[in-house]
Amino acid sequence: MSSREEGAGVAPQNKGSWSSFLKSIASFNGDLASLTAPPFILGTISLTEFSGYWAEHPHLFVKPAMGSTPEERAKLVLIWFLTTLKQQYCSRSDTEGNEKKPLNPFLGELHIGQWPSTRVEKEGWETGVTTLVSEQVRQLQGYNAQKASFSRTIHVKQIGHALLRLDKFDEDYLITIPALHIEGLIYGTPFVELNDKTYIVSSTGYISKIDYSGKGWIGGKKNSFTAALFQEGKEKDPLYSVDGQWSDSFTIRKGSKKSGTDAETFAGNELKRQKIALQYPSPENLSIWEAKRRWDPVMKAIRKGDMDTTNYEKSLIEDEQRDMRKKEAAKGVEWQRWFFVKKPNDPLFDRLAKPIGERIEAEKTGGIWRFDAEHAKQYISQVPELQQARVLERAGLT
């Protein structure tokens, strides 16, 4: 069968379910996140765990704090962010052949890695908000919600942002999050393309603009992008320019793309060798609130290709969550987050977002969410199962 025929990348026993799934999303009006995906397209990772991808190149993750000038630090933040995109949006292709749908996190789900220390919490069952904090010599935190729709393929709008703090220099960076769509869906070989543009805005007046293009109808390479780093108000006079593929290699030059000098290339194969994945205790030593324990039966079934058990174990978690929401509604209470608190506003975001016209859209993410160490210490210390799993200790809050 030709790879360009419908469902060519789908196993024969799953072709019927795949065709039905395509028909259901094509005719569905609303957020596709509410649809149940067939088990065979599920990946063996929860969406909550994606935050770990922001720190899988620790040498680049910490490097901005070593820059000697605001301009150099802004450049290093841009390089680090670009190296996170492959891990976030196409690393499953390396291990599973093509992209898989991540498991939808449950409310209260945690993901705590040992390096640097990473904390992630699912903030909203209905809104799909994920909050993250990663720390090394500074703090990275943020959150996002996704809204999926169908128009010839699946389109995902991501609502939210990340904030990077360099305490040593009293600098902050606002990082916006790309929209995306799925290519190759009809053939059963899906992969992600990023859309439009994102920004990194520094409190020191430097802005990075990243334009995502992908592969065109006539030519080009998939996952292509260009980027420029410039001072606020001087976009036509870039200090650095970048081009390449976010899933592979890219080159950064001083000055414009055409006349730039001092080119430095970041090769995909070399970045892959330099990757250091976060470390975790075995599932039995984790809290039931942690992704790698709670989803473990589901992930094992997916790896075995046991779709009946996958569906059964997944339904247990989802039914349990629905029951918890009903009980909370009956009592008139709202789920309290482990590590994060809702804020009425954020002057820092407003200041950094002004040059690029970005809105915080709190109404679409259930609020403005910020990490609060004191809240976490007080709340988690009252939950025996989290104390037994050493959640505060592993999160670096003891």
Side-chain angles (χ1 to χ4, degrees):
M1 175 183 289
S2 168
S3 62
R4 302 303 291 174
E5 292 183 23
E6 180 177 337
V10 180
Q13 66 271 24
N14 295 325
K15 287 188 182 296
S17 297
W18 180 252
S19 296
S20 297
F21 177 63
L22 291 180
K23 291 175 183 177
S24 67
I25 62 176
S27 60
F28 186 77
N29 292 319
D31 187 356
L32 294 179
S34 61
L35 282 178
T36 299
F40 68 87
I41 71 168
L42 295 175
T44 55
I45 186 171
S46 167
L47 194 59
T48 307
E49 300 177 65
F50 274 48
S51 66
Y53 295 140
W54 291 66
E56 288 201 335
H57 291 100
H59 67 295
L60 296 175
F61 187 52
V62 302
K63 207 167 184 179
M66 304 173 190
S68 58
T69 66
E71 178 183 317
E72 182 184 7
R73 292 190 289 274
K75 181 190 75 169
L76 293 172
V77 169
L78 171 60
I79 291 171
W80 157 72
F81 174 73
L82 292 173
T83 63
T84 72
L85 296 176
K86 174 180 172 61
Q87 299 305 113
Q88 293 184 68
Y89 297 109
C90 74
S91 61
R92 272 73 51 199
S93 296
D94 292 342
T95 57
E96 302 185 41
N98 52 56
E99 282 301 297
K100 301 285 188 177
K101 182 184 181 300
L103 299 165
N104 287 331
F106 57 83
L107 188 58
E109 181 175 312
L110 295 171
H111 172 60
I112 303 174
Q114 294 303 114
W115 160 221
S117 54
T118 303
R119 297 185 286 276
V120 185
E121 180 177 341
K122 178 77 189 319
E123 295 295 356
W125 174 256
E126 295 296 333
T127 58
V129 181
T130 303
T131 303
L132 63 89
V133 172
S134 299
E135 291 183 305
Q136 170 56 3
V137 294
R138 66 315 200 204
Q139 186 183 84
L140 170 69
Q141 64 170 309
Y143 61 89
N144 74 293
Q146 290 104 14
K147 183 174 179 60
S149 61
F150 186 86
S151 178
R152 300 181 68 180
T153 188
I154 296 175
H155 296 263
V156 180
K157 180 182 180 182
Q158 301 198 91
I159 306 162
H161 59 273
L163 290 169
L164 176 68
R165 171 73 180 172
L166 299 183
D167 282 334
K168 181 179 179 181
F169 302 101
D170 191 25
E171 290 178 5
D172 296 284
Y173 296 80
L174 168 66
I175 303 169
T176 64
I177 303 173
L180 60 92
H181 71 275
I182 307 300
E183 294 279 1
L185 185 64
I186 193 171
Y187 308 115
T189 54
F191 66 91
V192 172
E193 277 289 9
L194 302 182
N195 300 340
D196 201 11
K197 58 184 175 293
T198 59
Y199 291 92
I200 304 174
V201 184
S202 169
S203 58
T204 57
Y206 293 92
I207 299 175
S208 292
K209 179 183 177 183
I210 308 163
D211 289 287
Y212 307 97
S213 57
K215 184 177 181 179
W217 287 101
I218 299 176
K221 297 179 179 180
K222 70 176 185 178
N223 306 148
S224 294
F225 79 94
T226 59
L229 169 64
F230 51 89
Q231 287 184 303
E232 183 179 340
K234 297 182 179 180
E235 184 174 349
K236 294 183 178 180
D237 186 21
L239 299 167
Y240 293 92
S241 58
V242 194
D243 66 278
Q245 293 173 274
W246 53 262
S247 59
D248 191 9
S249 304
F250 60 87
T251 299
I252 183 167
R253 301 173 180 82
K254 193 168 186 177
S256 67
K257 178 180 178 180
K258 291 183 178 180
S259 59
T261 59
D262 301 327
E264 181 181 7
T265 296
F266 291 81
N269 289 338
E270 183 62 25
L271 289 171
K272 186 176 181 179
R273 284 194 295 270
Q274 294 171 343
K275 183 180 75 172
I276 300 177
L278 298 176
Q279 302 297 309
Y280 315 92
S282 58
E284 62 269 19
N285 293 321
L286 298 174
S287 160
I288 196 64
W289 293 101
E290 295 184 67
K292 287 193 175 296
R293 176 177 173 182
R294 192 66 182 92
W295 288 107
D296 188 52
V298 178
M299 295 174 183
K300 285 180 178 177
I302 292 174
R303 292 188 186 101
K304 291 179 180 178
D306 185 345
M307 296 301 102
D308 289 338
T309 301
T310 297
N311 191 55
Y312 172 76
E313 294 288 352
K314 183 170 174 285
S315 295
L316 286 180
I317 298 173
E318 293 168 345
D319 291 343
E320 178 186 75
Q321 285 287 304
R322 294 186 185 99
D323 186 54
M324 289 176 64
R325 301 293 81 76
K326 289 178 181 178
K327 291 179 179 178
E328 290 165 1
K331 294 179 181 179
V333 298
E334 181 182 353
W335 175 265
Q336 188 173 3
R337 280 64 177 174
W338 304 118
F339 287 101
F340 301 88
V341 296
K342 186 185 297 187
K343 298 289 187 179
N345 54 60
D346 188 337
L348 174 62
F349 175 91
D350 293 339
R351 176 162 54 89
L352 294 177
K354 186 176 180 180
I356 59 173
E358 185 79 2
R359 281 188 61 239
I360 206 162
E361 297 188 281
E363 72 282 0
K364 296 180 181 179
T365 56
I368 301 171
W369 300 98
R370 292 293 178 254
F371 170 69
D372 189 315
E374 293 306 313
H375 162 78
K377 291 177 185 177
Q378 181 178 1
Y379 185 29
I380 293 175
S381 64
Q382 301 173 22
V383 183
E385 61 190 279
L386 296 182
Q387 286 289 80
Q388 186 177 357
R390 302 185 299 109
V391 166
L392 286 175
E393 178 185 343
R394 288 189 289 120
L397 293 179
T398 55

